Amino acid sequence: MAALDDLFAQIPVQDIASKLGEDQGEVNNAIRTLVPALVGGLAQNVQADDIDSSDLESAVAAQGSSGLLDGGVSVDQVDENQGDQFVAKIFGGNDSNAVASALAGGGAGSSGLLQKLLPILAPIVLAYIGKQLSQRGGGAPAGGTATQAQSAGGGGLGDILGGILGGAGG
């Protein structure tokens, strides 16, 4: 099952740091905070009964087949405008600025750095999850274990998100 470490391995930290002109260590630390927040936000949307997550699920599927992860992620291929739209879908209409401010208030790092990273990371995270979903057939759990199947809504997508978050140690 997909784990958070596999997802982190897809993210070109050095390229992102160079593009943003930021310290690689700080970028890496911020990524290690933002990626679980993005995956957790997706999981909440998929599992919430009062939220229609079909638009988000379509975005995940589209990103999975976008080719963004094929041969390694090129930061220049990431559409940051689309990334901002993904952030808003994941976090209930809040833009990257609002989400970054909230996370920075929780001690996740510099709000400015988080704001720059969110629209870059969101398409990568969605592409990774979409690829996991397509490899799994996009449907119900493939005879998985009880712990894998315990995630409530979302069927296959909920299970994949639960598996990734499970790799985070809770």
Side-chain angles (χ1 to χ4, degrees):
M1 178 44 79
L4 215 44
D5 288 338
D6 294 335
L7 176 48
F8 285 131
Q10 300 289 324
I11 300 171
V13 177
Q14 185 174 359
D15 294 347
I16 293 171
S18 294
K19 178 178 179 158
L20 298 178
E22 299 282 351
D23 177 72
Q24 186 174 339
E26 287 179 34
V27 169
N28 188 51
N29 289 339
I31 287 172
R32 296 221 166 246
T33 299
L34 290 175
V35 168
L38 286 164
V39 175
L42 277 166
Q44 283 185 326
N45 278 302
V46 170
Q47 293 173 356
D49 292 331
D50 59 338
I51 297 174
D52 178 9
S53 62
S54 59
D55 194 28
L56 201 49
E57 291 172 29
S58 296
V60 167
Q63 279 299 107
S65 61
S66 70
L68 183 62
L69 299 183
D70 298 346
V73 175
S74 167
V75 180
D76 295 331
Q77 287 182 314
V78 175
D79 181 344
E80 292 180 49
N81 291 326
Q82 186 180 44
D84 267 328
Q85 293 170 6
F86 291 152
V87 169
K89 286 179 186 177
I90 293 167
F91 295 105
N94 292 307
D95 65 8
S96 295
N97 185 31
V99 174
S101 294
L103 290 170
S110 149
S111 177
L113 177 58
L114 298 177
Q115 185 179 353
K116 290 185 219 173
L117 284 171
L118 278 164
I120 295 171
L121 292 175
I124 297 170
V125 169
L126 266 60
Y128 177 82
I129 293 167
K131 212 166 180 77
Q132 297 298 318
L133 189 62
S134 68
Q135 288 172 355
R136 194 171 213 218
T145 64
T147 54
Q148 302 275 328
Q150 74 188 11
S151 348
L157 182 56
D159 291 342
I160 287 169
L161 294 168
I164 293 171
L165 290 171

